[in-house]
Amino acid sequence: MGWLGSSAFGLIGTATRLTLNLVIALFGLYYLLLRAPETWGAVLPYIPFSAQNAERLRQRFANVTTSTVIGTGLVAVIQGALVAVAFVAAGISNAVFWGVVTVVFSVLPVVGSGLVWGPGVLLLALDHRFVPAVLLAIWGIVVVGNVEYIIRPMVFRRWANIHPLITLIGALAGVPYFGILGLLIGPLALSYFFELIRMYREEYLA
């Protein structure tokens, strides 16, 4: 019982920390985009490339940021819809409400939608409805949990022309170091790395 209580407190603490990171990230992104011209004007003199390549770099950042916002929102909505459908099929009440809650929690890395469908599995098991509980767990792990790894790379490839492998590796590498910010910083950093190599080769080696 003590282990269950400590695990619950640990989960709440992790969810709270991730939520705060998300709020800070969104506020930072909002004010960065709000004064984008001024911010870019302050950074531009320190970029050691030609004006043409500096403009490419700026456009690259804009495209990756747009892709991240669209990808995160689309994944959250799809996961929320999938959880709501599963709850309806399993006979869990207020399925639409829990779908909306899933949309909010889906932006959190690692735990995400599991904070909603996981308790749903537990509820079904405590009600001795073991078959629906197992099916919901499989649905959550296999279908809902893998939506991000399918949709996000497609969005990045569509809007930012980034290979899905770069998106996946960047996100997986960025989240452990930067938390929720890693979803943006990881793919952005890898994309910038290859872009900077290309610019360096054009300007200093060609």
Side-chain angles (χ1 to χ4, degrees), residues 45-137:
Y46 302 98
I47 298 179
F49 295 113
S50 64
Q52 180 180 3
N53 279 332
E55 177 59 24
R56 288 182 183 177
L57 205 61
R58 183 196 68 79
Q59 189 61 46
R60 192 66 167 172
F61 178 80
N63 290 340
V64 174
T65 303
T66 301
S67 299
T68 301
V69 173
I70 294 175
T72 301
L74 189 59
V75 167
V77 171
I78 293 176
Q79 287 186 333
L82 290 174
V83 169
V85 169
F87 276 26
V88 170
I92 298 177
S93 59
N94 300 317
V96 175
F97 168 77
W98 292 116
V100 174
V101 173
T102 303
V103 172
V104 176
F105 282 147
S106 290
V107 298
L108 301 177
V110 185
V111 287
S113 60
L115 291 174
V116 180
W117 62 258
V121 172
L122 182 60
L123 177 66
L124 292 173
L126 292 176
D127 197 32
H128 302 289
R129 300 169 58 193
F130 298 110
V131 173
V134 172
L135 292 177
L136 179 59

Side-chain angles (χ1 to χ4, degrees), residues 28 30 41 46 48-49 59 67 74 92 109 114 132 135 141 152 158 163 173 182 190 193-195 199 205:
Y30 170 75
Y46 302 98
F49 295 113
Q59 189 61 46
S67 299
L74 189 59
I92 298 177
L135 292 177
I141 295 172
R152 193 182 298 274
R158 167 66 177 81
H163 194 278
L190 274 183
F193 175 72
F194 290 116
E195 193 74 12
M199 291 181 182
L205 299 181

